[in-house]
Amino acid sequence: MNEFDAAFFLRWLTIAAAAVDREADRLTELDSAIGDADHGVNLKRGFAAVTVVLEKEPPATPGAVLVAAGRQLISTVGGASGPLYGTLLRRTGKSLGEEPTVTRQELAAALAAGVAAVGQLGGAQVGDKTMLDALVPAAEGLGESFAAAREAAERGALATVPLQARKGRASYLGERSIGHQDPGATSSALLIAALAEVAAA
């Protein structure tokens, strides 16, 4: 299947919500080392709210699904992760436009636009030990395949361990942030893994 419709995107976000729910404790544990210890809790609440909204009134196009999900995350998630994830999904959705179906290449280009918007919002780039360390390579990998995107995101998240944080709450710790995996990069890799899972099904 080379064209992906709204139902595909609804499945993606449902599986992503289940993954966040399952991994919430681990995300919070990672965040307790270098952040506010609320990343897992916040994302779990946000994605649960997204699932409810999308089930109640499923949008008709891929772009509309992502815009609705992004809007919901911004309104329900505290901390930095709500605006950042919300911006990622909203900008990706807006870039997809109102087409009833999209190709993987179109999604890769739209995701790259969403990732760029996250970078602008947070003032971060690859190597700063943030979600971008997983998302930038994932968007590039998606041009090749869903599996490549998943592997790139997972590699990117693992690569944050030796980095010193330069952005966000973790940056206050200076060198003490070294040796910990970034929670935002970890949750971003979960999101991309859910995408690859739905594509493979």
Side-chain angles (χ1 to χ4, degrees), residues 119-137:
Q120 284 171 336
L121 181 66
Q125 55 193 359
V126 170
D128 285 345
K129 199 180 183 103
T130 70
M131 61 199 293
L132 291 182
D133 288 306
L135 290 173
V136 170

Side-chain angles (χ1 to χ4, degrees), residues 76-94:
T76 49
V77 180
S81 52
L84 292 168
Y85 269 106
T87 295
L88 174 70
L89 294 178
R90 271 180 64 182
R91 183 61 63 88
T92 302
K94 283 183 174 164

Side-chain angles (χ1 to χ4, degrees), residues 29-65:
E29 200 178 305
L30 289 171
D31 197 33
S32 69
I34 58 172
D36 290 336
D38 60 1
H39 189 62
V41 181
N42 284 342
L43 274 193
K44 182 176 175 174
R45 186 175 66 242
F47 274 95
V50 165
T51 309
V52 170
V53 161
L54 295 179
E55 276 173 3
K56 200 158 61 180
E57 262 183 73
T61 65
V65 170

Side-chain angles (χ1 to χ4, degrees), residues 92-187:
T92 302
K94 283 183 174 164
S95 298
L96 288 175
E98 294 172 18
E99 298 303 316
T101 60
V102 299
T103 64
R104 178 174 49 76
Q105 279 80 7
E106 285 165 345
L107 177 56
L111 183 61
V115 172
V118 169
Q120 284 171 336
L121 181 66
Q125 55 193 359
V126 170
D128 285 345
K129 199 180 183 103
T130 70
M131 61 199 293
L132 291 182
D133 288 306
L135 290 173
V136 170
E140 289 167 4
L142 192 54
E144 189 187 317
S145 70
F146 286 105
R150 175 187 203 150
E151 285 158 24
E154 285 167 359
R155 271 200 311 274
L158 283 173
T160 63
V161 174
L163 297 177
Q164 180 172 328
R166 295 204 198 97
K167 291 287 168 190
R169 192 65 191 260
S171 65
Y172 303 159
L173 295 175
E175 288 182 2
R176 282 183 296 143
S177 63
I178 295 170
H180 300 281
Q181 188 165 318
D182 181 67
T186 307
S187 57

